[in-house]
Each structure stands twice: as C-alpha cells, then as structure tokens.
Amino acid sequence: DPPIGQMMIQRIRKTLRQVYQNAREPKLVRRRALEAAIRAPEEWQTGAVRAAYADTDPEWRLTAVFCMGFISGFEAQILDSLDNPDEDIHYHAVVGAGNWELEAAWDHVSALAAAASTDKDLRLAAIDAVASIHPEKAASVLDPLAGSSDEDIAEAVVEALEFARMMATADRK
C-alpha cells in the first residue's frame, strides 16, 4: 500500500494546481508547484508547460524543459533545447531526450557522453540517455568509458550498459 491514501494524493494534486495557477504566489513557488505536479501528469499541465516554454523568462523556460521530461508531446521542443546555451536547460533537454528515447538526439547525446570535456553532470545525463535512445548502439559509445578513472563516470557506464542490454533483450522478445 502507498504511504498515503488516494484521497490525500488527489488533494495534493489539486493544491499544486491551485498554487501554480495563483498569479499572486511568488514565481519560484509557482514553478516548483508545476515541477512537482508534473510527476502525476494531468491534461492541464500540457498547456502550462507550453505557456512556460513560450515565456521569455529563462526560469520559466527551464521549468518547461524540466517538465517535458515527464510528459509526452514535446519532442520538438526538447530537440530545440539541446542547442540552448543555458547549462541547466541543456541538461534537462538531454534527460528528456533519454526519457522519450528521441532518436533525433542520438548524435548530440552520444557526442556529449564520449567527450571528456563535457561537464560531469551533463555527461552523466548523456550516458544514461545513450542507453535509452539506442540500447543496441550504447556499447559502442560507452565501452571506452568503462575504465574511466572517475568512479562516477565508470559506475554510470556500468549501469547504463546493464540497462541497454536489458532493453535490447526486451526488444528482441
């Protein structure tokens, strides 16, 4: 059984929506409410994410790209955000590309994973995304990284390769 009941979950979801929609709430509170609400997708969130992405405020754009990793229908925006110079937006676009297995992101993401010059957090996200986007090609990118002297990179590679093998096996069945 879940630690909280279904009625409480519904109350939380309703409250998060109300907080997000209340323009009197501070922007950060509204952004965090949308980011929390998106973990349990509902129809209203699609419009909220579109509005956040269209906003000229870079913080709302960041929230939108983060949310796109959890709800479908934003593949074009995720791909567009891979070229965003904002490091946080770029990071969440890589995560979203992996979550939605966006084949069009493969070249970008695999290059990030392979490059030693890639920021570590971004590289770790790219390693995970490589395994999701093309499990059958993951080893060609990740095997050379398995012996990395950076324990985090080496561990991420092992986990990603295990995931890729599992996905590739599941696809063959």
Side-chain angles (χ1 to χ4, degrees), residues 25-46:
E25 292 287 348
K27 175 177 69 172
L28 181 59
V29 173
R30 294 180 63 224
R31 288 178 53 224
R32 294 298 183 255
L34 180 57
E35 291 168 1
I38 209 75
R39 286 357 192 272
E42 297 182 61
E43 284 185 36
W44 68 269
Q45 296 164 351
T46 299

Side-chain angles (χ1 to χ4, degrees), residues 99-157:
N99 288 352
W100 296 110
E101 302 171 9
L102 300 183
E103 195 169 319
W106 172 255
D107 290 341
H108 183 90
V109 171
S110 61
L112 289 172
S117 61
T118 302
D119 169 78
K120 184 174 177 176
D121 289 336
L122 182 60
R123 194 173 193 196
L124 292 170
I127 288 167
D128 287 344
V130 160
S132 297
I133 295 171
H134 271 302
E136 70 285 354
K137 293 181 181 179
S140 66
V141 174
L142 300 179
D143 277 346
L145 306 176
S148 175
S149 60
D150 184 312
E151 288 180 28
D152 295 331
I153 298 291
E155 184 177 317
V157 167

Side-chain angles (χ1 to χ4, degrees), residues 8 21 46 48 67 69 72 88 90 93 102 107 109 124 128 132 144 158 166:
M8 180 57 76
Q21 291 177 330
T46 299
C67 292
S72 63
D88 293 328
H90 188 202
L102 300 183
D107 290 341
V109 171
L124 292 170
D128 287 344
S132 297
V158 168
M166 182 181 72

Side-chain angles (χ1 to χ4, degrees), residues 41-106:
E42 297 182 61
E43 284 185 36
W44 68 269
Q45 296 164 351
T46 299
V49 171
R50 287 195 195 292
Y53 189 75
D55 199 301
T56 58
D57 183 329
E59 292 174 342
W60 276 113
R61 172 78 49 116
L62 173 59
T63 289
V65 176
F66 170 84
C67 292
M68 290 172 187
F70 293 90
I71 58 174
S72 63
F74 292 98
E75 292 81 4
Q77 292 87 346
I78 290 170
L79 292 171
D80 182 56
S81 296
L82 290 172
D83 294 324
N84 194 299
D86 181 288
E87 292 174 6
D88 293 328
I89 290 175
H90 188 202
Y91 171 86
H92 288 295
V94 169
V95 171
N99 288 352
W100 296 110
E101 302 171 9
L102 300 183
E103 195 169 319
W106 172 255

